[in-house]
Amino acid sequence: MTRTPQITFPMVAVNFKTYTESAGEAAVRLARAAENVSLKTGVCIAVAPQLLDLSKVIASVKIPVLAQHIDPYDPGPYTGRSSIEAVKQAGVAGSLVNHSEYMLELSKIDLIIKRMRRIGLVSVVCTNTAQVSAAVAALEPDIIAIEPPELIGTGIPVSKVKPEIVADTVALIQRINRNIPVLCGAGITRGEDAAAATKLGTRGVLVSSGVVKTKDPSKALLDLAEGVTRH
């Protein structure tokens, strides 16, 4: 059985969403670009393609691959859903949970985290405020990614324009569980944005359009990877 690549820190996580630039064969090309930058810099770069592209991306690279969403259902009569077991068998390292574009109730987040932990998948739970982050931290996810939704996709980095959100979130999470790494997302596009985030106590960044929709994803990834190692 092929060994699933492990997530390490510092980390750059790239959410492919459903952009044309990251679908189908473009997803494979983007994942390979991420792998090349990861090998060059030693920084863990994890990618999260669409569900239909998971298998082909996993077969093409040796970096961690995440699902964009995971359903809290046992295998059974759930048409249109994907069981955690099926996603695990595809070879993913873990999944995003509760992204601002696919928000869940806290009770479902709790169920997903527990089921993912039981079968050995890494949970990357997205949160939108320090208070929500604190509530999620009590559920003991593997990683929390703070992303104020009003800045997602804007190119305006939360690490620079609202650093207090990041700093307060890190402090609250550490008060509850010091072992939960925090990522920072929303408007992060450049290495200096990533560097600002790590100086605030995060262990990396979660990005999307700043990589996916740029003319040179490799250059953008290299800049971000170098940014998260800057202290």
Side-chain angles (χ1 to χ4, degrees), residues 90-104:
V92 298
S95 179
L96 302 179
V97 179
N98 193 50
H99 190 275
S100 64
E101 295 162 359
Y102 206 140
M103 295 184 73
L104 302 170

Side-chain angles (χ1 to χ4, degrees), residues 163-187:
E164 68 282 358
I165 291 179
V166 181
D168 290 350
T169 297
V170 171
L172 272 173
I173 291 171
Q174 289 187 340
R175 204 173 302 158
I176 295 165
N177 188 330
R178 299 186 65 85
N179 296 320
I180 300 176
V182 181
L183 303 180
C184 173

